[in-house]
Amino acid sequence: MPQIFIIDEWLWSDLNGENGQEKQKEAVDFLEGLYNKCDKIAVARASKFQEKEWDFSKYATSDAVKRGIARFYFKAIHFNSQKYEEIYIEEVEEPDINRLKPDDAYLIKLYRKTKAPIITTDTKLKSILESRNIPCELRDEFLKKYL
């Protein structure tokens, strides 16, 4: 059965190589897995995720590896409605959660629209979400199962 996931900005740090080649490879493997399965990602329109997505595409041109990743991502995932769902969250009520960073509010709004689990590297965010019964997994645990 197809699954939908909310991925936060770790994907762009990993694809950009900021966390090392191994994390970059795992992120590429995730995208290839998403493409080969019937799964998709939900992305909030005009969110921090989309900002980093476009930044990655702009700066990937100077590096052959990143250029190949960007080409695959945009062709196979971003511009493929079976793999990428852009969600308008403007009308969703702001979450009233203490300790939540303002930059993370879009993830909860996106969850309210999709009921998809959130995949993050932020252990504090995971704790906050779980206390609100919002499904959340840490990146490394998720990828071990998914790949």
Side-chain angles (χ1 to χ4, degrees):
M1 181 157 173
Q3 298 180 75
I4 187 166
F5 304 106
I6 299 168
I7 308 295
D8 73 4
E9 301 93 50
W10 62 262
L11 181 65
W12 302 111
S13 296
D14 286 359
L15 291 174
N16 206 28
E18 294 168 23
N19 299 318
Q21 286 183 331
E22 184 178 331
K23 297 283 188 196
Q24 185 180 47
K25 182 185 178 331
E26 289 173 352
V28 169
D29 290 347
F30 165 69
L31 293 177
E32 289 174 347
L34 187 79
Y35 178 73
N36 290 324
K37 297 178 183 185
C38 294
D39 299 337
K40 69 169 42 175
I41 57 173
V43 177
R45 183 176 182 271
S47 65
K48 192 110 172 135
F49 183 94
Q50 278 195 333
E51 287 175 27
K52 290 187 177 189
E53 175 183 65
W54 289 111
D55 284 348
F56 181 81
S57 71
K58 280 192 295 190
Y59 300 112
T61 58
S62 62
D63 179 287
V65 171
K66 292 178 192 174
R67 191 169 47 249
I69 292 169
R71 190 176 299 123
F72 173 77
Y73 174 79
F74 282 94
K75 184 178 179 183
I77 307 294
H78 182 86
F79 293 117
N80 182 343
S81 63
Q82 294 178 356
K83 303 296 172 190
Y84 186 100
E85 186 172 349
E86 186 176 62
I87 308 286
Y88 294 85
I89 60 169
E90 290 81 11
E91 72 279 358
V92 178
E93 185 179 325
E94 284 293 324
D96 181 28
I97 297 178
N98 294 338
R99 305 179 343 251
L100 182 69
K101 290 185 261 178
D103 283 353
D104 291 335
Y106 83 92
L107 295 167
I108 294 173
K109 291 171 80 172
L110 189 54
Y111 168 76
R112 288 179 177 167
K113 290 278 286 207
T114 65
K115 301 302 183 210
I118 298 170
I119 314 303
T120 186
T121 56
D122 186 336
T123 55
K124 183 178 177 186
L125 175 63
K126 182 179 189 292
S127 176
I128 292 168
L129 295 176
E130 286 178 338
S131 73
R132 297 293 194 142
N133 295 318
I134 296 173
C136 182
E137 283 190 72
L138 291 175
R139 173 214 183 272
D140 291 343
E141 295 167 4
F142 169 75
L143 290 180
K144 280 180 190 170
K145 292 186 293 184
Y146 194 75
L147 297 178

